[in-house]
Amino acid sequence: MNTRLTSVLTSVTFALAVLCGIVFLGTGVTHLLDDGAVCVRTEFWHNASLGDALPVGEGVKVSSSTTRMCQDSPSAGQRAADLGGQLPWLLFGALALLLFSRMLETVRREGPFTEAVARRLSVLGWFVAVGTPLAGLVAGWSRSWLVGSMAPMVGSGPTVSGPQVLVLAGLAAVVMAKIMREGVRMREDLEGTI
């Protein structure tokens, strides 16, 4: 096992996790201190030719392509919904990278085929499998609510956004962890009989 490469990868993933965490905190703080407009994209009117008679709320500006709406003086709820569309994925990314970094650190310390690595891989897999739809639901719901607050006539329910294919990657990691755990047990049994 190339521990030098594993050490570099561990450091890089930990640095990326910290960077995502800083971006998460920075986005939250700067967004709370910002008093500018809040904008959201929607595909609701994408194929419509409604002209200037769009059913939007007071103070909402709609771009000429009718896919972008901006609220000049947003309410606290609109500002929170705008933030809710961005922060879940930053938090998810930071935590997933942190879990991956911890798994690599365990690989570096103990080797790749150990019970501890299998356990960390399982935790990472379950986090990705459950966290992906959860982050997508929070981000999608926030975006849907924001669109509904700017255009009350548009009734769209909560949506799930983001790369939901990551659920499969998370489940694959859980399966691999189970296979690794069985391999570790078989090796221990074999070593015990020799």
Side-chain angles (χ1 to χ4, degrees), residues 121-187:
L121 181 60
S122 182
V123 168
L124 175 62
W126 280 116
F127 177 79
V128 171
V130 173
T132 297
L134 188 62
L137 187 62
V138 170
W141 182 83
S142 295
R143 185 180 165 280
S144 295
W145 187 88
L146 187 57
V147 168
S149 72
M150 290 184 190
M153 301 298 286
V154 177
S156 65
T159 59
V160 178
S161 68
Q164 296 303 309
V165 73
L166 289 177
V167 172
L168 296 176
L171 292 175
V174 170
V175 169
M176 286 304 299
K178 180 71 174 166
I179 291 170
M180 284 178 65
R181 196 169 279 135
E182 290 301 316
V184 167
R185 285 192 190 118
M186 288 174 61
R187 187 184 74 202

Side-chain angles (χ1 to χ4, degrees), residues 6 10 13 96-112 114 116-125 173 177 180:
T6 307
T10 302
T13 55
L97 284 167
L98 183 63
L99 289 173
F100 186 62
S101 173
R102 291 190 56 177
M103 185 190 73
L104 287 175
E105 177 61 28
T106 305
V107 167
R108 188 188 64 75
R109 263 193 345 259
E110 299 179 21
T114 62
V117 172
R119 188 173 44 254
R120 291 209 188 268
L121 181 60
S122 182
V123 168
L124 175 62
M180 284 178 65

Side-chain angles (χ1 to χ4, degrees), residues 6-27:
T6 307
S7 295
V8 169
L9 287 174
T10 302
S11 299
V12 168
T13 55
F14 183 75
L16 287 173
V18 169
L19 183 63
C20 278
I22 290 170
V23 170
F24 170 80
L25 292 174
T27 301

Side-chain angles (χ1 to χ4, degrees), residues 36-49:
V38 169
C39 297
V40 66
R41 291 191 159 293
T42 180
E43 299 296 323
F44 186 76
W45 295 296
H46 190 65
N47 294 324
S49 57

